[in-house]
């Protein structure tokens, strides 16, 4: 079932419809109600935090477009979060990946 705290459900900005019931798009603001956040290109390798009781918390890898791949935080505290794709790639604006390294950047 779709959680009540999903920011795309019961929103005045979106016409949320359960994807299983979505046979055809009838308006430009129609979205799948199962969507919880946006802005990832191709998320993969999800790692849950089993020690965080009462809240869902995880890390997720996201494939980059040209230069960067990233690891992002996700979970119930990130409802409605926009991870930036396609306007950002890693810490860079745009998809070319040309940007100076941030001072707090740490190569894993």
């Amino acid at each position: 079932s779709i959680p009540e705290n999903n920011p795309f459900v019961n929103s005045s900005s979106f016409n949320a419809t359960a994807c299983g019931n979505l046979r055809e798009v009838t308006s430009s603001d129609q979205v799948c109600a199962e969507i919880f956040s946006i802005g990832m290109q191709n998320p993969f390798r999800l790692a849950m935090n089993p020690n965080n009781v009462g809240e869902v918390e995880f890390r997720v890898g996201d494939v980059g477009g040209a230069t960067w791949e990233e690891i992002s935080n996700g979970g119930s505290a990130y409802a409605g979060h926009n991870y930036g794709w396609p306007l950002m790639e890693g810490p860079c604006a745009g998809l070319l990946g040309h940007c100076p390294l941030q001072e707090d950047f740490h190569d894993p």
Side-chain angles (χ1 to χ4, degrees), residues 2 8-9 14-24 26 30-35:
I2 301 166
F8 296 102
V9 175
F14 299 99
N15 177 11
T17 305
C19 287
N21 298 330
L22 192 60
R23 300 289 182 246
E24 62 184 57
T26 58
Q30 196 167 19
V31 297
C32 290
E34 292 88 346
I35 294 172

Side-chain angles (χ1 to χ4, degrees), residues 6 8 20 23 28-29 37 51 57 66 85 87 89-90 96 108:
N6 185 323
F8 296 102
R23 300 289 182 246
S28 62
D29 65 343
S37 62
N51 300 318
E57 181 184 20
W85 181 263
L87 302 177
E89 182 178 358
L96 298 177

Side-chain angles (χ1 to χ4, degrees), residues 65-78:
T67 306
W68 295 89
E69 293 194 5
E70 65 183 61
I71 300 172
S72 299
N73 296 321
S76 52
Y78 294 87

Side-chain angles (χ1 to χ4, degrees), residues 33-53:
E34 292 88 346
I35 294 172
F36 192 73
S37 62
I38 59 175
M40 288 193 162
Q41 181 188 16
N42 187 15
F44 67 98
R45 295 195 185 201
L46 189 80
M48 303 298 291
N49 180 354
N51 300 318
N52 196 351
V53 178

Side-chain angles (χ1 to χ4, degrees), residues 1 10-11 28 39 43 45 53 66 82 87 91-92 106:
S1 68
N10 303 322
S11 168
S28 62
R45 295 195 185 201
V53 178
N82 184 346
L87 302 177
C92 305
H106 298 284

